[in-house]
Amino acid sequence: MALKRVASLASVVLAAGALVTHHEAVPSAQAPVTFSEHVAPILFANCTSCHRPGEAAPFALMSYRDARPLAKAIASATAAHAMPPWKAGPSDYPFANARQLSADHIATIQKWVADGALEGDPSRLPALPTFTDGWQLGPPDLTVSMSEAFEVPARGPDVYRNFVVPLNLDRDTWVRAIEFRPSARSVVHHSLFFLDPTGSARERDAEDPLPGFPGGTANPDDDPVARVAGNLGGWALGGRALELPSGLAFFVAKGSDLILSTHFHPSGKVEREKSSVGLYFSSSPPTQAFATIQLPPIFGVFEGLDIPADDGHYTLKDSFVIPVDVRAFSVGAHAHYLGKQMRLTATLPNGDVKTLLRIDDWDFSWQERYRFADFVSLPKGTRLDAEISYDNTSANKRNPSHPPVRVTWGEESNDEMGSIGLQVVAASPEELPQLRQAFLAHVRQAALTRPGLGQLLRRRQAQAR
């Protein structure tokens, strides 16, 4: 759901790319560190994939000329681990393609700046990496785009809009990966992907004179877009292409339309957004299905979230006992500006406690799903415990309100919400319905016993008066 604009990070630099294995020179304690020989290999491997023309970062890091004016900022951002943007902290299970600089890399950049940010011998400069132009995963099997651009106003409240994008598939299809490319990155907060085989979304689009039609309801049961055949995940700034593990895929029925349920955050100037989506097909049906365990459910709508001004330790907690053996393959979290810390642990039946996700400095601007390097086995009876804390004080540099104000659950960027989602497959595929039924019961119990739904309805009634 939520993620602020990349432009807000221009002051700290270095959006990251994929970490690649490479050989680089290691500076000695006496010799000066130079860009060409020592720093360029680090930047090219970890930063240039985003810091290049046409990508999300607001400036390039492709040469000494690019990097020299930003040397001190680069050193500061990397030493603070603000860049490359990788918010997940230590856990008991490694993640794939973690974007993290080693202590040696950080020390090299620090010494480069201390030595005067020298260029060195240009002949020692490594070649720039070869990037696939545009699509991270290479040319998609099917590329589709919005039929017309939507104009996002310069100012005002956040905008939630659903856009219908025909896929024109003449047969049922399995999709293994999806890549979303916004054209106006500074205003696209996130986009969720739904499927509609009924044509109802087209009808709603035709009734509205603007591109698309309003969206963004809190309760999926209230939104016809969320009641359609299925969803294909989503994208938020800082995220990468969504690629499922081998053997898993999304089902897309022939004739389905793709619905982009997009959240816009005005940037201060009028922008025109025309999103494109690349679909990558699976050569065969998946071997099994998967499910998401989201704690608290539906981004915390049932929790009665109500954060007083100047409260620096407001906390949401939720737990769920897994009723069957599962294997987890990815995890992700969501909150807005006041989010501070995220933690998801698994208490195994033998009493061992394992950390699945830990974020100690949540950043609204960089949200993504973290895919485990290998499937994580969680036996029947494992208890998942999610804890999300918020900082609504002036000490929170990301707090949008000065002085702080009371904040409740809501969909606007200045409201709050929160959840952690774990994606799993059942170890025995025939047991997946049992898992889904148990989690649905958990959602229903939360809706009936927790204060959030009543709180939300009362607030909306008051606003309607």
Side-chain angles (χ1 to χ4, degrees), residues 198-250:
T198 69
S200 60
R202 287 195 192 197
E203 294 174 2
R204 292 195 64 185
D205 191 3
E207 295 170 356
D208 195 302
L210 298 176
F213 56 94
T217 182
N219 185 352
D221 291 336
D222 294 338
D223 190 346
V225 170
R227 293 202 300 267
V228 296
N231 71 79
L232 301 180
W235 175 93
L237 190 59
R240 293 172 287 190
L242 173 62
E243 186 174 16
L244 294 176
S246 177
L248 302 180
F250 298 104

Side-chain angles (χ1 to χ4, degrees), residues 342-360:
M342 309 277 188
R343 190 175 184 189
L344 181 67
T345 61
T347 301
L348 306 181
N350 64 5
D352 289 347
V353 179
K354 301 292 186 180
T355 297
L356 297 170
L357 179 66
R358 176 179 171 180
I359 297 176
D360 291 328

